[in-house]
Amino acid sequence: MAKELIRLSKCSMAFDGDVVLDNIDLCINDKEFLTLLGPSGCGKTTTLRIIGGFLKPASGDVLFDGVRINDVPPHKRAVNTVFQKYALFTHLNVFENIAFGLRLARPGGKKLSKDEIASRVMEMLEVVSLKGFEKRDVSSLSGGQQQRVAIARALVNRPKVLLLDEPLGALDMRLRKDMQNELKQMQQATGITFIYVTHDQEEALAMSDTVVVMENGVIQQIGTPEDIYNEPENAFVADFIGESNIVDGIMLDDGLVEIFGRKFKCLDKGFKPSEPVDVVIRPEDIDIVSPEKGQLTGKVISVTFRGLMYDIIVDFNGFKWLIQTTDLSPIGTTLGIKIDPDGIHIMSKSQFSGMYGDYSSYSAEYDEISDVDYEVEIEDAEGARE
Ligand code: ATP
């Protein structure tokens, strides 16, 4: 069974009278990979700094292994941090950068022996796949290699917890993806609890055991990546995690919702009769069928080629939906759609209702980024057929 390691209990924080964390309750388990995810300014770094001891919450408690640590300074916490700007010592080589903390450490009041330091540094180089790099000058390393040195430096002291604040932010997309896999493997190999901050939802879904979605200093949802994606609790989470069409609905009965005056079967239960709800439909859960067979019919107004599939924007009586499909449906096509009951997710109305999930405003954006040559090709092909 999972063992609780860190708990934030009713933690709040304000800067210059502005509340940036509002009564946060959060439990982090031993050996967990937990990600704080949310838009810029939502309070992720502040939460991390409170856990690291760099900030004291204005109110509330921070517990480590059940002991209150509000007043314990950072260097006395079993926690290390890796920042986005990894600040390596450029005058020291890879070995010495990693060994730095070990040379200062005094476990049991005694210095570590040379041999012990060397064996721990070599062990870390192996963990971060940098064996053979020990004598290299850090400034001669690539961004990804430097980031690995920073991680090794933070791990070598064997912290119980590693805090990572957007550590891959400076890397290009390819390297970022590689490092995501490596970080996950390192976490599993070392058994160290990772608390990771990012605003990148794909990164959070790919790496985490638990995702904490934050907005405006408030935790909106805590769950596994699957829970957060498949069962978002409100329109903010649904919109922030992946693409979502969010429409108004009325719950007619258990397993039956009305959208745009049509009845759709769903799996959700427990709502009041005729309760107004928000309905989330993911773009990949919509099947395109002929107009006669469709539960709804609409007209394609934009097509964007995305490699594996097309993103198409479809106008249903003025409401614009995003649909992802491998079938080509050129602009102007009238099509029908079908949605299976498990492709429909019902949420209670919230403060975020009506704020997200219509792709009207996106269609202009989509038109701009869509491949113009490609659309011309479609039109040409249509012209040739006529
Ligand atoms: P980002 O992804 O942009 O780093 P974040 O979610 O990590 O954002 P925080 O850094 O926690 O957000 O900041 C939350 C809010 O608190 C922001 O509005 C920020 O401007 C404010 N803030 C953070 N630190 C301070 C400070 N020392 N003094 C004043 N305001 C601060």
Side-chain angles (χ1 to χ4, degrees), residues 15-16 18 20-21 38-47 49 55 165-166 197-199:
F15 292 112
D16 309 323
D18 287 337
V20 300
L21 281 187
S40 183
C42 71
K44 307 179 294 288
T45 298
T46 303
T47 308
R49 294 178 73 202
L55 274 180
D165 194 353
E166 304 254 8
V197 160
T198 184
H199 60 269

Side-chain angles (χ1 to χ4, degrees), residues 7 13 22 63 93 164 184 187 195 198 205 208 216 244 249 252 288 311 313 352:
R7 178 174 287 274
M13 191 72 204
D22 191 3
L63 306 176
N93 66 17
L164 301 110
K184 181 79 195 155
Q187 191 264 338
I195 308 178
T198 184
L205 296 182
S208 321
N216 220 356
S244 324
L252 297 176
I288 295 177
D311 278 2
I313 306 278
F352 302 107

Side-chain angles (χ1 to χ4, degrees), residues 204-279:
L205 296 182
M207 289 198 294
S208 321
D209 300 314
T210 304
V211 180
V212 179
V213 184
M214 299 180 69
E215 159 65 350
N216 220 356
V218 175
I219 293 179
Q220 297 297 337
Q221 188 165 357
I222 302 176
T224 64
E226 289 83 358
D227 288 342
I228 299 274
Y229 189 84
N230 294 327
E231 308 285 331
E233 270 173 26
N234 58 43
F236 173 80
V237 177
D239 182 75
F240 195 74
I241 310 291
E243 301 291 348
S244 324
N245 300 289
I246 307 173
V247 294
D248 287 333
I250 295 171
M251 214 54 196
L252 297 176
D253 204 344
D254 280 350
L256 193 66
V257 64
E258 184 183 301
I259 309 167
F260 293 168
R262 301 286 172 90
K263 290 176 185 162
F264 287 78
K265 285 189 185 156
C266 59
L267 304 178
D268 304 70
K269 296 181 176 150
F271 292 85
K272 289 186 222 104
S274 302
E275 181 175 338
V277 289
D278 287 334
V279 183

Side-chain angles (χ1 to χ4, degrees), residues 99-288:
F100 190 83
L102 293 178
R103 297 203 192 286
L104 298 179
R106 296 286 180 273
K110 272 181 33 201
K111 275 185 174 183
L112 290 170
S113 74
K114 256 186 166 174
D115 287 352
E116 168 80 349
I117 290 174
S119 93
R120 280 176 60 176
V121 172
M122 296 316 274
E123 185 193 333
M124 268 312 122
L125 284 168
E126 183 118 30
V127 170
V128 298
S129 311
L130 281 181
K131 229 173 137 196
F133 282 72
E134 47 274 24
K135 296 222 167 67
R136 284 277 291 272
D137 196 345
V138 288
S139 52
S140 75
L141 302 180
S142 71
Q145 289 164 341
Q146 290 188 20
Q147 186 56 289
R148 282 191 220 150
V149 175
I151 291 165
R153 191 176 59 175
L155 286 175
V156 78
N157 282 338
R158 298 180 181 157
K160 287 282 284 177
V161 181
L162 191 64
L163 308 180
L164 301 110
D165 194 353
E166 304 254 8
L168 309 183
L171 306 181
D172 68 47
M173 183 55 85
R174 183 100 190 232
L175 195 51
R176 217 180 148 118
K177 291 237 151 99
D178 290 346
M179 283 295 293
Q180 287 169 10
N181 290 333
E182 287 186 26
L183 273 177
K184 181 79 195 155
Q185 280 163 15
M186 280 178 217
Q187 191 264 338
Q188 285 167 342
T190 56
I192 291 173
T193 304
F194 276 29
I195 308 178
Y196 192 93
V197 160
T198 184
H199 60 269
D200 178 338
Q201 42 102 6
E202 268 184 44
E203 187 161 287
L205 296 182
M207 289 198 294
S208 321
D209 300 314
T210 304
V211 180
V212 179
V213 184
M214 299 180 69
E215 159 65 350
N216 220 356
V218 175
I219 293 179
Q220 297 297 337
Q221 188 165 357
I222 302 176
T224 64
E226 289 83 358
D227 288 342
I228 299 274
Y229 189 84
N230 294 327
E231 308 285 331
E233 270 173 26
N234 58 43
F236 173 80
V237 177
D239 182 75
F240 195 74
I241 310 291
E243 301 291 348
S244 324
N245 300 289
I246 307 173
V247 294
D248 287 333
I250 295 171
M251 214 54 196
L252 297 176
D253 204 344
D254 280 350
L256 193 66
V257 64
E258 184 183 301
I259 309 167
F260 293 168
R262 301 286 172 90
K263 290 176 185 162
F264 287 78
K265 285 189 185 156
C266 59
L267 304 178
D268 304 70
K269 296 181 176 150
F271 292 85
K272 289 186 222 104
S274 302
E275 181 175 338
V277 289
D278 287 334
V279 183
V280 181
I281 300 155
R282 296 287 187 186
E284 68 275 18
D285 287 336
I286 301 171
D287 290 330
I288 295 177

